[in-house]
């Protein structure tokens, strides 16, 4: 099985902030956000809801995309989320059988 890498957005219950991240295990990483394991932005703003992701076969490409997305304005991020997930549901359900 090939390794996959993910760039993702998580948000809080009220969608007031969007956190951009990178991981090779999206299920585990989202659970870390949910459980507030690590200090930082997502913990401070209670971000845990996975609302957008992109898959990559190559870690370097994923990291480059993460850097690019972090430069995006909020409206552009919202447009990406809406294109994949117009209801902003928690996409972790899509990974629960994998995790």
């Amino acid at each position: 099985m090939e390794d996959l890498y993910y760039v993702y957005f998580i948000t809080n219950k009220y969608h007031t902030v969007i956190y951009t991240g990178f991981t090779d295990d999206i299920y585990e990483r989202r659970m870390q956000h949910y459980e507030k394991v690590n200090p930082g932005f997502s913990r401070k703003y209670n971000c845990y809801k996975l609302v957008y992701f992109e898959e990559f076969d190559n870690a370097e490409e994923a990291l480059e995309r993460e850097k690019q997305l972090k430069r995006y304005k909020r409206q552009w991020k919202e447009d990406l989320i809406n294109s994949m997930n117009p209801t902003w549901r928690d996409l972790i359900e899509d990974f629960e059988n994998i995790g």
Side-chain angles (χ1 to χ4, degrees), residues 4-16:
L4 289 176
Y5 303 90
Y6 300 88
V7 175
Y8 62 90
F9 295 152
I10 57 172
T11 189
N12 59 14
K13 180 178 179 180
Y14 303 105
H15 308 158
T16 55

Side-chain angles (χ1 to χ4, degrees), residues 58-90:
N58 179 292
E60 290 76 26
E61 289 177 15
L63 284 169
E64 187 59 37
R65 179 65 169 156
E66 178 195 26
K67 290 177 189 175
Q68 181 185 41
L69 291 174
K70 284 185 173 188
R71 293 190 300 263
Y72 277 25
K73 294 181 180 179
R74 180 181 171 98
Q75 185 59 54
W76 296 345
K77 293 178 185 180
E78 288 181 7
D79 290 346
L80 278 176
I81 295 166
N82 288 327
S83 71
M84 171 190 254
N85 183 10
T87 61
W88 289 50
R89 74 177 179 90
D90 192 345

